[in-house]
Amino acid sequence: MVELRGGPEGRPVSAGRWRGGRPPGVLRALAVFAAVRAVGVVLVALTDLHGGHPATRTLTHAWDAVWYLHIAEHGYGAREYLSSFGTVQTDYAFFPLFPLLARGADAVLPGGAGPAALLVAWAAALAAAWGVYAVGHRLYGTATATFLVVLWALLPQAVVLTLAYSESLFAALAAWALYALLRRNWLLAGALAALAGLTRPTGLAVAAAVVVTAGRELVRRRGRGAGPWCAVLLAPAGWLGYVLWVGARTGDLLHGYFTVQDAWKSGLDFGASSLRFLRVLFLYGGKVVYPVSVLLVAAAVVLFCLLCLERSPRTALPLLVFSGVLVLMVLLLGGPFASKPRFVLPAFPLLVPVARTMARGWLRSRARVLVVTGALACLALPYGVWVAAVVKTPL
């Protein structure tokens, strides 16, 4: 019988040092995570084979994956696309760390850029799950941490963790940056935030968590201490460095990157495009993926409100800032609405209220928790495969 300890309220069993350098129960949680995502990989591959395509077509060439692989193979400035909006979309819209790692893996491994990118994405997904567990265990104990990982693996949009996308790498860097903040390891938190800023535009959410947490520490110390200052300076460096580099390459240092994003309709529009989308969806309807995307984004907003109401330790401030800024960016930035659930996927702290509820329920009725978890798997896994491999909607 599996025992998930952590107290009825999800409090940590012990604040002591982990034995063997890892939190208790993490291997079990990682095994469940790997099993869930492996099922997702198999289902995607079988769907492609059933459609007469190579088994790895969706895994390595779904939407943004094509751009990442092209950057890994040919560098920047080598691919353009004339969109349906009449704008010229370029590869400068994609941040460099994921394709750079894929290129490095491709240089030492056989098989080409596609398998190399998948290896990077899958390894990063495991690292992310470990980081999610580490954060959950430190704040709430083994049971909540386990359910946090399981719920995160079972999100409908978690299918992107098994594709050649940058979300898994970003989630790993974000999770471990948050854990470093909980440990008050300022230099590591700042460095990881900088790397997150080189991975996705939403790296600003990680930087915000570091800056706010370090700023609070500086106020408490009255400005003394090199560590928090280093974190404040390092955290936004990756995002800012890439934005300025794109500006220099395009001939407009301060606005070049934002011009690139405007061509993708992904700039800051304060939610105007989302409101237009909701109006059209309400008046004329649309594919199933659109109302489901609305529900997933709305659920993220509701879960953030619940997270704010949690009686969490004071050290949970980084989780609130990261999740809040990420959800706010998803709401205020443009882009295909069907992609927004993917953008909010790295905000795993949003699942804390549900994970704590399931941890308490585990003590009362394990059968009920298992039924709920199984039902979620039966709904989320096929939906994720359908969106990734069947629906012709931007993922």
Side-chain angles (χ1 to χ4, degrees), residues 212-224 228-229:
V212 170
T213 308
R216 185 185 66 175
E217 185 70 10
L218 287 171
V219 170
R220 190 180 67 82
R221 296 184 184 181
R222 297 184 179 179
R224 295 189 294 269
W229 281 115

Side-chain angles (χ1 to χ4, degrees), residues 330-354:
V330 168
L331 294 175
L332 297 184
L333 293 175
F337 202 95
S339 298
K340 289 184 180 292
R342 167 170 67 91
F343 299 155
V344 83
L345 173 65
F348 68 91
L350 297 176
L351 298 171
V352 165
V354 183

Side-chain angles (χ1 to χ4, degrees), residues 83-302:
S83 73
S84 58
F85 310 118
T87 58
V88 178
Q89 299 172 337
T90 69
D91 49 18
Y92 290 119
F94 298 89
F95 279 54
L97 187 57
F98 178 74
L100 180 63
L101 292 177
R103 185 170 190 165
D106 183 29
V108 298
L109 296 173
L118 277 183
L119 179 63
V120 172
W122 292 352
L126 280 175
W130 190 320
V132 169
Y133 186 91
V135 171
H137 184 272
R138 182 168 182 85
L139 291 177
Y140 307 107
T142 302
T144 297
T146 301
F147 282 112
L148 191 60
V149 171
V150 172
L151 288 169
W152 192 60
L154 288 175
L155 288 175
Q157 64 268 42
V159 65
V160 299
L161 298 175
T162 51
L163 308 182
Y165 269 54
S166 62
E167 264 72 21
S168 55
L169 178 61
F170 177 71
L173 294 168
W176 285 106
L178 294 175
Y179 180 73
L181 286 175
L182 298 179
R183 294 288 303 272
R184 295 299 186 264
N185 191 332
W186 302 112
L187 187 60
L188 179 60
L192 291 172
L195 291 174
L198 286 171
T199 306
R200 292 199 57 76
T202 46
L204 280 177
V206 188
V210 173
V211 169
V212 170
T213 308
R216 185 185 66 175
E217 185 70 10
L218 287 171
V219 170
R220 190 180 67 82
R221 296 184 184 181
R222 297 184 179 179
R224 295 189 294 269
W229 281 115
C230 289
V232 168
L233 294 175
L234 270 176
W239 183 89
L240 184 61
Y242 181 69
V243 167
L244 293 177
W245 181 79
V246 171
R249 292 291 296 267
T250 58
D252 188 351
L253 183 64
L254 298 181
H255 303 100
Y257 167 77
F258 303 101
T259 301
V260 168
Q261 290 292 354
D262 285 341
W264 288 81
K265 302 299 181 182
S266 297
L268 179 66
D269 64 2
F270 298 99
S273 61
S274 295
L275 291 176
R276 287 195 298 269
F277 165 81
L278 292 175
R279 178 179 178 275
V280 171
L281 181 64
F282 178 77
L283 292 176
Y284 305 107
K287 299 178 182 178
V288 174
V289 66
Y290 293 134
V292 172
S293 297
V294 172
L295 288 175
L296 290 173
V297 173
V301 175
V302 172

Side-chain angles (χ1 to χ4, degrees), residues 10-56:
R11 292 186 294 270
V13 174
S14 172
R17 180 172 296 181
W18 298 337
R19 294 180 181 179
R22 60 176 183 264
V26 66
L27 295 182
R28 177 177 58 240
L30 290 179
V32 174
F33 175 85
V36 170
R37 295 317 330 153
V39 170
V41 170
V42 171
L43 291 176
V44 168
L46 290 176
T47 302
D48 279 338
L49 290 174
H50 179 72
H53 306 293
T56 59

